[in-house]
Amino acid sequence: MFRKVVRQSKFRHVFGQPVKNDQCYEDIRVSRVTWDSTFCAVNPKFLAVIVEASGGGAFLVLPLSKTGRIDKAYPTVCGHTGPVLDIDWCPHNDEVIASGSEDCMVMVWQIPENGLVSPLTEPVVVLEGHTKRVGIVTWHPTARNVLLSAGCDNMVLIWNVGTAEELYRLDSLHPDLIYNVSWNRNGSLFCTACKDKSVRVIDPRRGTLVAEREKAHEGARPMRAIFLADGKVFTTGFSRMSERQLALWDPENFGEPMALQELDSSNGALLPFYDPDTNVVYVCGKGDSSIRYFEITDEPPYIHFLNTFTSKEPQRGMGSMPKRGLEVSKCEIARFYKLHERKCEPIVMTVPRKSDLFQDDLYPDTAGPEAALEAEEWVSGRDASPILISLREAYVPSKQRDLKVNRRNALSDSRPATAPGTPRPGPSAPAASTNIAALSGSLAGARETGKLEEVMQELQALRALVQEQGARISRLEEQLGRIENGDA
């Protein structure tokens, strides 16, 4: 009997491939700020990159289709007076982005549907509350208009962007610099990694510490902590000997890690990107030229190394495309936007499959652009999981509505408005009429005379049939009336 050495996994053969040069974004002056941010955010419509700017802070917003060399005079979003440190696209509106800066401000911007044609200097809303630079901005995953920001003042603020008001101020939970913040799946909790080497799980509405692990990683260099779909916490950090580590924790028992792996002895901070649909974590080191990926499972050793994508150039930052922006027909399970010194290069992760059919096992229903809750509902204590959509039909984003700020009312949302009591369209017309309409539509597309005549003949036959059936219905109604009146 031979023992099975290789673990079976459909993601074992995932391979990464950079796109061709003409599909890259060239001549982008990526920011040189010494902050461990991704410097990049992407959604199915736009790519945003924090860039060098004189006399303030700016970031570039490009439609995904605008590849090639980017003109130096291309308009930027440039309302901050200090360098921009972090940006994040709203998950519920593909034209809204938030930014945090060294000027202590958080700003929320509405990007025109087709991209910028002139510099954007006026944000939709400015959120003032931090006393030091703001290094982290992240939207709530399920509640509309709820934004979290964290700054070098060791404070976490949660905002209702629709009313421009501060909802919660958590200023006593972190004694030192916050490295990162990650919401859980339904946004009821978030976890943070702090410079004091602790990982904390926090309930924002109560302002309380749910769980804390001191010295999650012994090293002094920056850590990261992210929530997984099942409520576990995945961390990256450094050992006492400055070796880079990965760990998996159960917040209900923070005493010992469920799994701990050492990677290498490089000194760049490890940035984790998590796909909740496939339970795959992609780990990118700042200054590395590789992306490692791991599958998280329920059985020991829990963290399974899958493969490494390696390229020649080191990465300055990295953006990750949401699942609904991927090309399903090509079995693409992730796409990263890798920042070089002067360009942005998309890297496509695919699972090779022989079949051209939709791969159900690779694409379970994923979080869609619809918010599950309004901000007020979340504040009142309600929680809801993301509203899922199927990727079976290639996802086409709906037309977004402008973001408006009102001091009393929440943001206008991107949902199509339906008047109460409006009947849903349904099959009300007779079958014959439906066929006629379908055939009439096909006339426009028929170019050959023979086909046109054939369609016309069929149309006439159907019209005659409809008239005949109409006359028959009239006769039957007449008979029915006579029966009811006792005449027959």
Side-chain angles (χ1 to χ4, degrees), residues 74 100 120 181 252 275 402 418-419 434 458:
Y74 193 86
L120 186 58
V181 178
E252 293 180 7
D275 178 2
D402 282 355
T418 307
T434 310
E458 209 169 325

Side-chain angles (χ1 to χ4, degrees), residues 227-239:
F227 257 119
L228 304 186
D230 61 359
K232 304 285 191 298
V233 173
F234 180 88
T235 61
T236 64
F238 291 82
S239 70

Side-chain angles (χ1 to χ4, degrees), residues 45-58:
K45 288 181 82 169
F46 296 109
L47 165 70
V49 181
I50 302 173
V51 293
E52 283 288 291
S54 53

Side-chain angles (χ1 to χ4, degrees), residues 418-426:
T418 307
T422 306
R424 291 189 176 275

Side-chain angles (χ1 to χ4, degrees), residues 79-96:
H80 284 287
T81 55
V84 177
L85 300 180
D86 197 20
I87 49 178
D88 193 32
W89 286 106
C90 176
H92 309 127
N93 190 331
D94 287 342
E95 290 161 14
V96 172

Side-chain angles (χ1 to χ4, degrees), residues 265-320:
S265 52
S266 296
N267 57 7
L270 291 168
L271 307 175
F273 295 90
Y274 173 60
D275 178 2
D277 304 329
T278 57
N279 259 335
V280 175
V281 175
Y282 302 85
V283 178
C284 318
K286 273 217 156 181
D288 289 8
S289 53
S290 63
I291 302 172
R292 296 179 177 89
Y293 28 111
F294 302 82
E295 188 176 2
I296 311 294
T297 63
D298 295 331
E299 306 92 37
Y302 303 110
I303 303 174
H304 303 271
F305 174 72
L306 291 172
N307 212 333
T308 304
F309 164 79
T310 309
S311 56
K312 293 174 186 172
E313 298 280 328
Q315 54 232 14
R316 295 281 304 280
M318 192 74 76
S320 173

Side-chain angles (χ1 to χ4, degrees), residues 173-174 188-194 196-204 206-216 225 227 231-233 235 249-256:
L173 296 174
H174 298 89
S188 58
L189 304 170
F190 63 80
C191 67
T192 62
C194 181
D196 68 352
K197 303 182 187 177
S198 287
V199 171
R200 294 174 175 86
V201 176
I202 293 166
D203 182 333
R206 290 195 176 89
T208 56
L209 202 59
V210 176
E212 181 178 9
R213 165 66 194 191
E214 296 177 2
K215 294 192 176 177
F227 257 119
K232 304 285 191 298
V233 173
T235 61
W249 307 84
D250 182 354
E252 293 180 7
N253 180 16
F254 248 152
E256 288 297 320

Side-chain angles (χ1 to χ4, degrees), residues 344-372:
C344 176
E345 175 186 44
I347 294 164
V348 175
M349 299 283 182
T350 49
V351 176
R353 291 281 168 97
K354 289 180 182 175
S355 169
D356 291 334
L357 299 173
F358 179 75
Q359 306 294 316
D360 292 271
D361 59 328
L362 296 184
Y363 300 107
D365 288 357
T366 191
E370 190 60 61

